[in-house]
């Protein structure tokens, strides 16, 4: 594995402004969102609006990823995605969600998820996950991907490639009538081939007019998650695989989650809608 030194928190830039004409999610300015009480199965109008939100999120992530290079700060990646979403009439869903101060999550190397963009400078050989969610017309679209920065070692490159493949396999496993734990079963069985850890305490989730609806989509084989998949359900799948343990520590910022053994980790995510025969990805650029 790469011999990069471990990450330390950087300096935060001021909170970025969003034009007043852009609709905010109801949780902005509040300590927590109002609990979702609606259905997990969405009507066709909501799904089509989510397709728009998902496309903007995917394009914003793609735009930010173009700037990944040694010497670039994670805060700069946040700026690019923030401006893209605002320019397209969308609100960056993470900004102000439970107090999160930025418009995307940037998780580098040993950071599993929820890394806060700051003055951290990307180095040659890093891997960086960008997690971008857009809110527009009353709905959210959520996606993430892990990118290579410069010349990345083979072990890390394979981790990224295989984590992407685990998501693809999980999407193919989604079928009406199956229990939702089939998703984690597929991911974990694939990850075990390579000796990877599968993060358990951070999961996929229901998403619609709510950023997190309460539906849990585990990425490991869980006998306790037996919700039956139905057409029209909308949720994310976002496996987090590690080169070592699935256990983690959290930084003092209350957000940044790092592997306990500080080995590298990768993640990929799409927002899906269940169809009559499988799943349709809503977060395509």
């Amino acid at each position: 594995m790469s011999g990069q030194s471990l990450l330390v928190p950087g300096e935060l830039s001021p909170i970025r402004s969003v034009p007043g004409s852009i609709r905010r999610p109801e949780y902005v300015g509040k300590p927590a969102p109002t609990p979702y009480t609606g259905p997990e199965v969405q009507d066709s109008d909501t799904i089509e609006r989510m397709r728009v939100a998902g496309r903007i999120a995917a394009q914003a992530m793609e735009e930010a990823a173009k700037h990944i290079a040694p010497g670039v700060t994670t805060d700069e990646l946040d700026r690019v995605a923030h401006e893209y979403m605002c320019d397209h009439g969308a609100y960056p869903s993470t900004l102000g969600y439970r107090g999160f101060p930025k418009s995307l999550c940037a998780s580098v190397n040993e950071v599993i998820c929820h890394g806060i963009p700051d003055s951290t400078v990307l180095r040659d050989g890093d891997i960086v996950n960008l997690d971008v969610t857009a809110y527009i017309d009353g709905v959210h679209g959520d996606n993430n991907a892990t990118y290579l920065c410069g010349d990345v070692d083979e072990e890390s490159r394979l981790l990224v490639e295989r984590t992407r493949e685990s998501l693809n396999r999980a999407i193919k496993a989604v079928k009406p009538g199956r229990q939702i734990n089939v998703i984690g079963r597929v991911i974990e069985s694939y990850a075990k081939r390579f000796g990877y850890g599968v993060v358990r305490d951070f999961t996929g989730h229901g998403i619609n007019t709510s950023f997190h609806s309460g539906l849990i989509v585990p990425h490991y084989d869980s006998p306790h998650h037996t919700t039956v998949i139905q057409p029209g359900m909308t949720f994310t799948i976002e496996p987090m695989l590690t080169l070592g343990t699935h256990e983690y520590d959290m930084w003092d910022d209350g957000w940044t989650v790092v592997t306990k053994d500080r080995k590298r980790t990768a993640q990929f995510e799409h927002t899906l809608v269940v169809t009559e025969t499988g799943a349709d990805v809503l977060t395509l650029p």
Side-chain angles (χ1 to χ4, degrees):
M1 191 183 76
S2 169
Q4 299 280 46
S5 58
L6 297 178
L7 292 171
V8 295
E11 296 294 321
L12 288 180
S13 64
I15 291 176
R16 303 187 198 283
S17 62
V18 176
S21 58
I22 294 177
R23 178 179 172 184
R24 271 75 169 154
E26 58 83 23
Y27 53 74
V28 174
K30 296 163 55 177
T34 302
Y36 179 72
T37 57
E40 296 298 344
V41 172
Q42 306 303 311
D43 60 30
S44 58
D45 174 67
T46 302
I47 292 166
E48 288 312 305
R49 286 185 285 132
M50 287 182 67
R51 199 180 300 278
V52 174
R55 183 167 60 247
I56 292 172
Q59 290 171 336
M61 184 175 73
E62 199 173 62
E63 196 62 32
K66 292 176 184 176
H67 294 75
I68 291 174
V72 175
T73 65
T74 55
D75 187 66
E76 173 65 8
L77 304 179
D78 181 80
R79 182 194 66 78
V80 173
H82 177 94
E83 291 182 359
Y84 187 95
M85 284 184 275
C86 290
D87 287 347
H88 289 78
Y91 185 92
S93 300
T94 60
L95 185 61
Y97 180 78
R98 296 185 182 271
F100 192 84
K102 292 295 174 181
S103 298
L104 58 70
C105 300
S107 301
V108 180
N109 296 344
E110 70 269 20
V111 179
I112 294 171
C113 57
H114 304 158
I116 301 175
D118 58 18
S119 61
T120 296
V121 176
L122 296 177
R123 301 161 296 182
D124 185 57
D126 283 343
I127 60 174
V128 55
N129 177 272
L130 300 183
D131 193 335
V132 180
T133 310
Y135 177 80
I136 189 170
D137 203 10
V139 297
H140 300 269
D142 185 3
N143 70 161
N144 76 53
T146 303
Y147 299 91
L148 310 181
C149 180
D151 185 16
V152 175
D153 68 273
E154 182 72 357
E155 186 179 36
S156 299
R157 188 189 64 76
L158 285 172
L159 174 68
V160 171
E161 180 182 299
R162 290 164 176 167
T163 305
R164 181 191 291 111
E165 176 62 15
S166 77
L167 172 60
N168 292 338
R169 289 173 180 240
I171 291 170
K172 291 176 183 174
V174 174
K175 306 285 184 188
R178 292 180 172 177
Q179 294 180 345
I180 208 156
N181 55 15
V182 69
I183 293 167
R185 190 172 306 126
V186 167
I187 292 167
E188 187 169 47
S189 64
Y190 179 71
K192 278 183 173 179
R193 292 191 200 175
F194 312 105
Y196 295 154
V198 181
V199 173
R200 302 167 77 88
D201 290 352
F202 301 90
T203 68
H205 53 89
I207 183 171
N208 37 67
T209 57
S210 172
F211 194 172
H212 299 87
S213 73
L215 176 68
I216 294 172
V217 183
H219 303 121
Y220 62 99
D221 189 359
S222 167
H224 307 296
H225 293 84
T226 57
T227 300
V228 175
I229 298 170
Q230 303 175 60
M233 290 177 72
T234 49
F235 54 81
T236 71
I237 304 176
E238 44 189 299
M240 292 151 263
L241 306 187
T242 71
L243 289 175
T245 182
H246 68 269
E247 296 180 343
Y248 67 92
D249 294 319
M250 186 174 289
W251 283 3
D252 292 342
D253 61 24
W255 284 104
T256 307
V257 179
V258 296
T259 54
K260 187 170 280 292
D261 56 13
R262 302 304 190 263
K263 290 186 177 180
R264 288 187 168 189
T265 176
Q267 182 184 17
F268 284 83
E269 174 187 21
H270 275 307
T271 295
L272 316 171
V273 59
V274 181
T275 68
E276 296 294 336
T277 57
D280 187 13
V281 176
L282 299 177
T283 38
L284 293 175

